């Protein structure tokens, strides 16, 4: 009898232990501490696919994602967005008109994700291969009725909530029509500024603001010998911001995929996508190790109607040889244009399961804000 009771007790204890284990939140539903949004400007599915046909055939980092979605990239006033309205959708969760830098049709500021998280003690960073004042990064720290106001956009950086930035755009800060030196204003607002080199990861202090501006305008294109700036700047941002207690939001842009596609340059497009994929690899390495970081990779729109066509020899398509091309309209206009194609979303880390399916560009913002309770 005593033995039976003991067996019964043991079974009951095991049952209680089992049930209490089940009540723990499953790991995949955990809320991350940090969010990294990576934007390949102009990066549609053919641009992503181009990475799978690089000569060395190393496994693309895109293959490391388990959750894939698609977004409709339209803006408020056009089926085909520009990069300003595209980034406004990501930064504010609201569709505005093409050319808008995080303002509505009434020209009033739309609150950005960086403005939101600043109030919650979350740090933020921006990395791009364009000027920091260019449309995509600008939408995360500035408000302007048009993307063309880059000198005005620059004046908004010193007092923005941004804690770390690395990009180009020196001339908007110290060679200005109004003679202002915005590097002085950045320093007065607590930034350490370097316009010459990125330091080694791990060498920067916590609770401090850093700005790195490495070129007068955009950084050189990859085809002109740009080094691994995007990867190094991304790693530097992650390794610096991760030390902050309240977590961080980081936007990383592969800015120049779009520029090569506008120029209908197939080889240049391959190189810029490869560079962006390398940065994705470094960010995923960080996120895997950290375990507390959600990584979202997407695009603001597709550029050029890019396609991976076969080479044609004597009128016969050669199916084992890719030429690549851009839509015919690009022959008759000065530059290839953006298109309305849905673009992919890749997500990794805690909360990534929220990002599968087909939805709107603005939903990236809303999904992040809801998941993070920002
Ligand atoms: Mg851009
Ligand atoms: Zn563009």
């Amino acid at each position: 009898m005593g033995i039976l009771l003991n067996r019964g007790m043991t079974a009951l204890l095991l049952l209680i232990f089992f049930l209490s284990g089940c009540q723990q939140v499953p790991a995949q539903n955990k809320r991350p501490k940090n969010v990294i949004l990576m934007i390949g400007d102009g990066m549609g599915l053919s641009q992503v696919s181009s990475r799978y046909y690089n000569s060395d055939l190393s496994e693309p980092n895109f293959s490391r994602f388990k959750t894939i979605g698609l977004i409709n990239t339209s803006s408020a006033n056009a089926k085909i967005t520009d990069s300003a309205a595209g980034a406004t959708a990501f930064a504010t969760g609201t569709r505005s008109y093409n050319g808008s830098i995080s303002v509505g049709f009434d020209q009033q500021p739309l609150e950005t994700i960086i403005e939101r998280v600043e109030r919650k003690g979350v740090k933020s960073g921006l990395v791009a291969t364009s000027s920091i004042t260019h449309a995509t990064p600008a939408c995360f720290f500035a408000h302007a009725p048009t993307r063309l106001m880059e000198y005005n956009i620059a004046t908004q950086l010193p007092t923005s909530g941004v804690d770390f930035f690395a990009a180009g755009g020196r001339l908007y800060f110290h060679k200005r029509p109004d003679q202002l030196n915005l590097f002085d204003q950045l320093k007065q607002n607590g930034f350490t500024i370097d316009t010459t080199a990125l330091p080694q990861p791990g060498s920067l202090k916590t609770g401090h603001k850093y700005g790195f501006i490495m070129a007068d305008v955009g950084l050189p294109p990859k085809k002109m010998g740009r080094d691994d700036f995007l990867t190094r700047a991304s790693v530097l941002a992650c390794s610096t911001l991760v030390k902050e207690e309240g977590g961080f939001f980081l936007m990383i842009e592969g800015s120049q995929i779009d520029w090569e596609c506008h120029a209908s340059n197939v080889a240049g497009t391959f190189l810029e996508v490869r560079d962006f994929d390398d940065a994705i690899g470094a960010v995923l390495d960080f996120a895997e190790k950290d375990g507390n970081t959600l990584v979202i990779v997407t695009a603001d729109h597709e550029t050029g109607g890019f396609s991976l066509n076969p080479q044609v020899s004597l009128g016969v398509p050669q199916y084992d040889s890719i030429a690549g091309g851009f839509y015919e309209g690009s022959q008759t206009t000065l530059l290839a244009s953006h298109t309305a194609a849905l673009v992919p979303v890749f997500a990794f880390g805690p909360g990534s399961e929220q990002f599968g399916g087909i939805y709107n560009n603005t939903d990236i913002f809303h999904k992040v804000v809801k998941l993070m309770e920002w």
Side-chain angles (χ1 to χ4, degrees):
M1 186 69 191
I3 293 166
L4 278 177
L5 186 67
N6 280 345
R7 277 185 186 162
M9 285 291 284
T10 307
L12 187 65
L13 284 172
L14 278 171
L15 185 67
I16 290 167
F17 180 74
F18 177 70
L19 285 175
S20 65
C22 284
Q23 281 165 352
Q24 281 170 10
V25 181
Q28 68 266 29
N29 291 339
K30 202 178 88 176
R31 180 183 306 143
K33 187 176 172 193
N34 316 307
V35 177
I36 303 175
L37 174 62
M38 301 184 73
I39 302 172
D41 198 317
M43 188 183 74
L45 198 51
S46 285
Q47 283 83 351
V48 170
S49 304
S50 76
R51 177 62 187 83
Y52 286 77
Y53 298 99
N54 277 139
S55 53
D56 65 82
L57 291 178
S58 60
E59 190 58 24
N61 289 295
F62 291 114
S63 296
R64 295 165 68 179
F65 294 94
K66 299 286 181 282
T67 302
I68 318 290
L70 291 169
I71 49 169
N72 175 318
T73 64
S74 293
S75 68
N77 71 338
K79 293 183 182 69
I80 299 176
T81 189
D82 82 320
S83 292
T88 296
F90 294 144
T92 72
T94 302
R95 280 181 171 172
S96 190
Y97 59 90
N98 284 0
S100 159
I101 301 293
S102 292
V103 298
F105 283 94
D106 58 2
Q107 318 270 289
Q108 292 305 302
L110 297 164
E111 189 182 53
T112 68
I113 193 159
I114 287 179
E115 287 163 342
R116 277 176 96 109
V117 301
E118 191 188 8
R119 292 198 301 265
K120 296 179 179 278
V122 177
K123 301 293 179 182
S124 58
L126 300 173
V127 172
T129 53
S130 65
S131 302
I132 191 73
T133 51
H134 208 266
T136 310
C139 288
F140 287 85
F141 72 87
H143 305 278
T146 137
R147 59 184 292 171
L148 302 175
M149 300 170 66
E150 286 191 73
Y151 288 104
N152 175 295
I153 289 165
T155 64
Q156 301 181 49
L157 188 56
T159 52
S160 72
V162 174
D163 299 285
F164 178 103
F165 63 90
R170 270 193 298 254
L171 72 81
Y172 299 105
F173 291 83
H174 74 148
K175 285 185 184 151
R176 300 169 50 83
D178 60 12
Q179 310 300 323
L180 284 175
N181 186 333
L182 298 183
F183 288 133
D184 291 343
Q185 291 190 18
L186 282 161
K187 287 170 194 163
Q188 283 157 20
N189 282 279
F191 280 92
T192 296
I193 298 294
D194 194 327
T195 61
T196 59
L198 294 177
Q200 288 302 310
S203 59
L204 302 182
K205 291 181 284 186
T206 48
H208 199 75
K209 297 195 275 188
Y210 292 95
F212 301 93
I213 305 198
M214 294 296 122
D216 279 342
V217 282
L219 277 93
K222 202 70 188 168
K223 67 187 175 209
M224 303 290 279
R226 187 177 77 241
D227 67 1
D228 57 348
F229 166 84
L230 189 61
T231 294
R232 287 188 296 117
S234 300
V235 170
L236 183 62
C238 292
S239 66
T240 306
L241 293 169
V242 74
K243 294 187 219 155
E244 303 287 354
E245 231 166 74
F248 67 85
F249 170 81
L250 171 64
M251 193 288 297
I252 299 168
E253 187 197 20
S255 316
Q256 300 193 27
I257 299 167
D258 176 70
W259 302 355
E260 295 295 355
C261 292
H262 278 299
S264 300
N265 188 320
V266 175
T269 300
F270 272 57
L271 287 172
E272 292 297 342
V273 172
R274 175 68 199 250
D275 185 59
F276 189 54
D277 184 64
D278 288 345
I280 291 170
V283 167
L284 287 180
D285 290 347
F286 162 80
E288 271 175 6
K289 203 167 149 234
D290 180 63
N292 245 332
T293 301
L294 168 66
V295 181
I296 305 157
V297 179
T298 189
D300 48 358
H301 53 76
E302 195 276 339
T303 302
F306 186 49
S307 58
L308 299 170
N309 311 316
Q311 234 144 22
V312 176
S313 172
L314 302 172
V316 181
Q318 304 296 308
Y319 278 180
D320 199 34
S321 184
I322 289 166
F326 296 86
Y327 75 103
E328 264 180 48
S330 62
Q331 309 296 317
T332 52
T333 56
L334 194 59
L335 290 170
S337 308
H338 299 178
T339 73
L342 303 189
V343 298
V345 181
F346 305 87
F348 177 93
S352 59
E353 63 282 352
Q354 303 294 321
F355 293 84
I358 301 181
Y359 45 97
N360 285 338
N361 48 3
T362 44
D363 291 325
I364 300 262
F365 171 96
H366 294 296
K367 285 171 189 288
V368 167
V369 164
K370 189 172 171 214
L371 175 71
M372 302 301 289
E373 296 184 354
W374 277 351

